[in-house]
Amino acid sequence: EVQLVESGGGLVQPGGSLRLSCAASGFTFSNYWMHWVRQPPGKGLVWVSRIKTDGSITSYADSVKGRFTISRDNAKSTLYLQMNGLTAEDTAVYYCASNLVSSGSFWGQGTLVTVSS
Amino acid sequence: QSVLTQPPSASGTPGQRVTISCSGSTTNIGSNTVSWFQQLPGTAPKVVIFSDNQRPSGVPDRFSGTKSGTSASLAISGLQSEDEADYYCAAWQDSMNGVVFGGGTKLTVL
């Protein structure tokens, strides 16, 4: 069974940092592009970042560029999102997903990040 | 303001056929494939259509997708109460080197 399990969310003060993890199982993680997508409370889905199968290519939404870093460890089948300089606008449920706009799209259950003083 | 435009709401009665539209441009829908995601209340999104009109295994054939030019549509036939959810379209955006989503459509089964 395919599973993506996010962790690392929580309450953080403005300007703080957080690292999210996404543990994958049930499929060959190293064969899939991986993405982070977020959903602010009561709002729609917003793409955040993506990373190629071997980690050699990454891209980011303008709203997080320079503050967030996506990475992966294929040996551990785990995806990461390092988030620095957090603001209230970053408050959202963060989902990891595979192959977002092609076949083999799987999503995790999400982890909530709340930025507040 | 989302790059892809969807109606905020749609509705139908059980057994009816409903369609949800998604409008984009030549740099997203016009040159890349479209996916549709279903988000049931309180749960994570799940893909119901990818590559414009392909259904993942396990998705009922009541769900279908079409695309023409810079617009796409999701159709749900034989509407059931369990189809009540938010639906999002998505496509690759060439100029952004990323994925863009529609704002979402809340489907109500009356």
Side-chain angles (χ1 to χ4, degrees), chain B residues 50-109:
Chain B
F50 67 93
S51 296
D52 300 335
N53 54 20
Q54 302 299 301
R55 271 188 321 275
S57 60
V59 173
D61 59 6
R62 302 185 295 103
F63 290 82
S64 61
T66 59
K67 188 178 84 171
S68 178
T70 59
S71 294
S73 292
L74 172 71
I76 308 172
S77 60
L79 200 61
Q80 299 181 5
S81 58
E82 56 259 40
D83 299 330
E84 189 161 284
D86 293 325
Y87 291 86
Y88 296 88
C89 59
W92 185 258
Q93 174 73 43
D94 292 332
S95 55
M96 189 182 105
N97 212 19
V99 175
V100 289
F101 285 93
T105 298
K106 185 175 185 63
L107 174 63
T108 301
V109 181

Side-chain angles (χ1 to χ4, degrees), chain A residues 35 37 39 43-47 50 59 95 100-103 105 107-109, chain B residues 33 35 37 39 43-45 47 50 88 90-92 96-99 101 103:
Chain A
H35 300 250
V37 176
Q39 185 170 34
K43 296 189 177 180
L45 302 173
V46 180
W47 177 80
R50 67 155 186 168
S59 56
Y95 297 100
L100 194 52
V101 286
S102 61
S103 66
S105 177
W107 293 60
Q109 85 290 347
Chain B
T33 62
S35 292
F37 299 94
Q39 187 174 33
T43 70
V47 62
F50 67 93
Y88 296 88
W92 185 258
M96 189 182 105
N97 212 19
V99 175
F101 285 93

